């Protein structure tokens, strides 16, 4: 799920007219809350992701590739209790909780993304 670079037209009181407008507003509000919504300088970095997937605005968090790679290796080796897996799950759960709190605090309606990666946002 790649990050998107939006036009960032700015948040306002008028309802968004399309998914791109909603994604722009979400980015502005998340920036207002202190998140960086700019594309990464290195694809391995991880961080906030705002994307449009099959017509839905999706907000999620990606861990750095170091943690993803290590956790996936442990899962594939059936070492589900490994420290890397615990760290990955802790970061994922904490950031999903934080994003949900911020998004709802800014007045968005959200629902869990069925793939478990973040939230689907509605206005």
């Amino acid at each position: 799920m790649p990050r998107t670079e939006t036009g960032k037209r700015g948040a306002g009181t008028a309802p968004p007219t399309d998914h791109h407008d909603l994604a722009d507003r979400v980015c502005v509000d998340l920036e207002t809350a202190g998140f960086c919504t700019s594309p990464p300088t290195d694809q391995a970095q991880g961080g906030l992701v705002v994307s449009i997937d099959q017509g839905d605005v999706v907000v999620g968090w990606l861990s750095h590739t170091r943690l993803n790679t290590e956790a996936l290796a442990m899962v594939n080796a059936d070492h589900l209790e490994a420290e890397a897996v615990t760290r990955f799950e802790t970061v994922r759960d904490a950031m999903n909780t934080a994003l949900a709190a911020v998004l709802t605090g800014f007045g968005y309606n959200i629902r869990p993304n069925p793939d478990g990666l973040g939230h689907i946002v509605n206005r």
Side-chain angles (χ1 to χ4, degrees):
M1 192 179 335
R3 294 179 193 218
T4 61
E5 180 60 33
T6 63
K8 297 180 184 155
R9 293 179 285 243
T13 56
T17 57
D18 65 15
H19 292 101
H20 293 281
D21 187 35
L22 178 58
D24 290 348
R25 288 172 185 245
V26 167
C27 284
V28 168
D29 286 340
L30 289 172
E31 287 170 354
T32 301
F35 288 95
C36 176
T37 63
S38 299
T41 56
D42 173 359
Q43 292 293 54
Q45 281 179 268
L48 180 69
V49 178
V50 178
S51 63
I52 298 174
D53 183 26
Q54 299 180 3
D56 289 322
V57 175
V58 180
V59 177
W61 187 266
L62 296 176
S63 299
H64 192 283
T65 298
R66 285 188 303 266
L67 183 56
N68 289 343
T69 301
E70 188 177 353
L72 183 59
M74 292 296 102
V75 168
N76 288 339
D78 204 28
H79 298 298
L80 302 179
E81 301 300 320
E83 184 176 352
V85 176
T86 301
R87 287 179 179 178
F88 175 85
E89 291 173 345
T90 299
V91 169
R92 180 197 59 209
D93 294 347
M95 293 310 299
N96 279 336
T97 299
L99 286 168
V102 171
L103 290 166
T104 57
F106 274 81
Y108 294 98
N109 294 312
I110 62 169
R111 67 182 193 276
N113 192 355
D115 68 9
L117 301 174
H119 308 282
I120 296 174
V121 180
N122 300 299
R123 190 49 137 166

